[in-house]
Amino acid sequence: MENKKNEMEQSVEILDSDFSFLKSDESIHDQKFETKPTTFFKDAMKRFVKNRSSVVAASILAVLIVMSIVVPFADKNDINTPQGDLQYLPPKWFDGNLNGFFDGTDMVTGAILDPETQKLAVDENGKSDYVESAIVGGINVYSSYSDMYSSAVARYGKGGCLTLANQSPKMEGVYEGEDQGILSKEVTLDLSKDYDYSVSIDPEQTVLYADSSLRLHLTFLASVDGEETYIPLTETVDWDSSLTRLACEHVSTSVKSYFEDKSLGVPSSLTGRIGIVVDAPEDEKSGANVLAISSVSSSIKGVGFASGIEARRAIAEKFANAYSSFGKESKPLVSIKHVEVLYGSFRYDYYAAAFGDVAHYSFSPTMIEDYVERGWMEFEWGPAGSSQPAKFVLTPEGETYCPLRSVDYQVVSENPLDPSMTVHQLFGTMSNYRLLYSQGKIGSCEMPKYAFGTDRNGKDFFKVVFSGLLTSLGLGLLASAINIVIGLIWGSISGYFGGWVDLIMERLTEILGGVPFIIVMTLVALLWNQNGGGTTFWTFLLALCLTGWIGISGTTRSQFYRYKGREYVLASRTLGASDTRLIFKHILPNAIGTIVTSAVLMIPSVIFTEANISYLLPGALALKGSFGVTIESVQGDISRAPYLIVSASLIMALLMICFNLFGNGLRDAFNPSLKGSDE
């Protein structure tokens, strides 16, 4: 061992560079720090900025908060007045045909077409459900069958059947177990002449419920001795697949036989309605039996109709308001089945349809005067009998703003009630978005773009969402601030002093915390909101602040118990520091990380609480105009317009995620154990 030690000492070479020498006249002193001193909050913010996810979340939160403040005031679209013509417009961000990608277009399927022209079906007034000029591209035509009655199907359908159903006797309010049937409009029979009446039945479309029967007969409803009487024209028969026609070849003979059997005088003529009767099922458990009538023929004028498209028109015209049940307070179950209809599918620009030009629009004199006063046009009415105004010129400003784009013709005539007065009316092409702008219903005089579309009332849902968000954020921030202040004070006193003070304060907290919030909310609403118009902002705020501070109080109390016994606190107390200084200078800053996180997460908690109550209980407890009410108002449109609830839910989800990331970032930043750390 001694030899090894000597060898090691001999192997170490000592150099002059291993030592530094000072001159005898130089002094030794501490060197100045090269880094600048920092505060606790500066160091916390430095660490927070390094957390990229928290910074992004804070930026998104800032954008949402700014938008909730700016959008309700900057967006001039009217969200207070329902506008039925603008309902359910899809979201539009871009111009041009992008095949439905936020361009305001969508696919329309099942539009009924005129089989002769293959154009959109029109009603009796020549109006269609769609504007032909708003169709993007062509129409894809296909044929299918309809079992749903509508005036368009009645006008343009081919073939098919008229169906008559009977139901179980115990369907209260719909069917009371009486016979069912249909009747024609009133006709007058000359009993000196004979008539025929027959009903053709389609066995393929007729449905017979298992273990039940379908009994039917022809009848004639007339007034006999002052009472409504059903005169049977045929015997009641049980239907089966072999029965395809039910007929009465001698209507007058059957009617006269009825009078003779009753020993009544046979009249020369009789006014009434002719029809077919389906007997009610006797078994309460019987299902629906459906009789399919393919055609009705009769020598009685106005009764018969052939199969095909004429049969559909007969449903709409001859049998309109003439359906009758054969029992009191019963409703006949009449429909159609297996009607061949020509359908079309196409891409439809809903914005062009809603805001585009409208031909032959009627402009009143008041509207004309308004446009002239605004300086949009120069106008003079032509003399009576003239079809054109004496003067019509759009000004440069009117080229942009005037709803009247061109004149078709004018009507100037005497008032029939007062010949001294002249009636003026103008017909021309109207620009709908310019008209809505002049009425103050949209914010700018250009083709609108609704980022979130419109709801069932035609309101700009983008503005509706952020208006609701402003209300909910205001409630969340104010309620959180109040709860944080109360919770910090209560928790600090309870945790710092402890003992009997803590014991009494905690028992009070447990009593308040044991009451469910929904009960607190209900009691507050009943006591301070008795007008039934929904919960007010201040009522909701009061309910949230009654028990909302308990969570912050508990967190603060636990942090004070954790830090009040530390050495630096004891040292400060020994040096004479007051309780206030110990609480706010020494203990609270070290507990601030956990408290700040709880405080930040309280804001979305308040918003979600309000949203849940307003969504699930949309009555007296709902906060009018809040985010929860906004989501609740569109939940019924999820199948027709899913973009409404999706857009609102995305904003809510974004708030939740960003508040959580932001709160976690603040928690890490304010953690005293990480002070000065670069990681």
Side-chain angles (χ1 to χ4, degrees), residues 282-587:
E282 297 179 358
D283 187 357
E284 293 182 7
K285 299 181 180 180
S286 297
N289 297 318
V290 179
L291 178 68
I293 304 171
S294 59
S295 66
V296 174
S297 62
S298 177
S299 57
I300 305 172
K301 186 177 180 180
V303 172
F305 56 85
S307 61
I309 191 170
E310 293 179 0
R312 310 286 68 74
R313 290 174 179 167
I315 300 173
E317 298 169 6
K318 296 179 183 179
F319 283 83
N321 301 319
Y323 301 137
S324 173
S325 61
F326 286 70
K328 295 180 179 180
E329 299 181 359
S330 299
K331 298 179 181 179
L333 305 176
V334 182
S335 185
I336 60 173
K337 195 171 184 181
H338 207 64
V339 180
E340 185 179 1
V341 179
L342 193 66
Y343 291 103
S345 62
F346 47 83
R347 182 161 294 282
Y348 192 68
D349 189 340
Y350 285 91
Y351 284 76
F355 299 106
D357 292 346
V358 178
H360 307 300
Y361 187 82
S362 176
F363 291 86
S364 66
T366 304
M367 299 171 69
I368 299 299
E369 291 174 6
D370 180 43
Y371 302 156
V372 172
E373 289 177 359
R374 296 192 187 198
W376 291 347
M377 67 179 185
E378 299 175 5
F379 186 87
E380 292 180 10
W381 292 97
S386 174
S387 63
Q388 293 294 322
K391 186 177 183 181
F392 168 65
V393 179
L394 290 176
T395 64
E397 187 178 2
E399 291 288 350
T400 302
Y401 297 106
C402 186
L404 176 59
R405 309 310 296 171
S406 63
V407 174
D408 295 337
Y409 60 92
Q410 70 168 14
V411 176
V412 180
S413 59
E414 292 182 353
N415 189 336
L417 301 178
D418 187 357
S420 63
M421 296 180 63
T422 305
V423 177
H424 294 82
Q425 196 171 12
L426 190 74
F427 293 87
T429 301
M430 181 269 291
S431 174
N432 201 23
Y433 75 83
R434 292 183 174 93
L435 178 65
L436 293 172
Y437 174 75
S438 68
Q439 296 172 345
K441 294 180 179 179
I442 60 175
S444 60
C445 191
E446 57 186 10
M447 185 69 75
K449 294 179 182 177
Y450 296 129
F452 291 170
T454 60
D455 59 13
R456 69 169 70 99
N457 295 315
K459 299 177 182 179
D460 180 2
F461 198 63
F462 184 77
K463 184 176 180 180
V464 171
V465 166
F466 282 99
S467 296
L469 183 60
L470 177 61
T471 301
S472 296
L473 274 175
L475 180 68
L477 291 171
L478 192 55
S480 299
I482 295 173
N483 287 329
I484 289 168
V485 171
I486 297 174
L488 282 176
I489 295 174
W490 188 278
S492 299
I493 295 173
S494 176
Y496 180 78
F497 291 102
W500 284 101
V501 174
D502 180 43
L503 184 65
I504 294 172
M505 295 179 73
E506 277 302 292
R507 298 297 76 77
L508 293 174
T509 302
E510 288 176 1
I511 293 172
L512 289 175
V515 181
F517 175 74
I518 192 65
I519 295 179
V520 175
M521 184 71 225
T522 304
L523 292 175
V524 171
L526 290 175
L527 292 175
W528 279 277
N529 181 42
Q530 299 179 0
N531 57 5
T535 305
T536 64
F537 182 90
W538 302 109
T539 303
F540 218 111
L541 179 64
L542 176 61
L544 289 170
C545 294
L546 285 177
T547 57
W549 52 269
I550 293 177
I552 289 291
S553 170
T555 303
T556 305
R557 174 179 174 273
S558 64
Q559 293 301 306
F560 267 73
Y561 267 105
R562 177 182 179 185
Y563 290 106
K564 72 176 184 179
R566 297 292 176 91
E567 292 80 358
Y568 62 88
V569 177
L570 296 176
S572 298
R573 182 180 288 112
T574 303
L575 293 174
S578 64
D579 291 335
T580 303
R581 181 177 180 82
L582 290 174
I583 291 173
F584 293 103
K585 186 70 176 177
H586 297 286
I587 301 177

Side-chain angles (χ1 to χ4, degrees), residues 42-97:
K42 285 183 179 180
D43 184 67
M45 288 300 101
K46 180 180 177 181
R47 291 197 301 274
F48 178 80
V49 170
K50 291 183 178 181
N51 190 332
R52 294 184 180 180
S53 62
S54 298
V55 172
V56 172
S59 302
I60 295 175
L61 276 178
V63 171
L64 291 176
I65 293 173
V66 170
M67 290 182 68
S68 68
I69 298 173
V70 173
V71 170
F73 300 99
D75 190 339
K76 300 301 181 182
N77 291 328
D78 184 8
I79 60 171
N80 298 316
T81 306
Q83 302 178 51
D85 294 339
L86 307 182
Q87 63 180 359
Y88 296 123
L89 294 179
K92 183 174 183 179
W93 298 0
F94 311 106
D95 291 321
N97 182 17

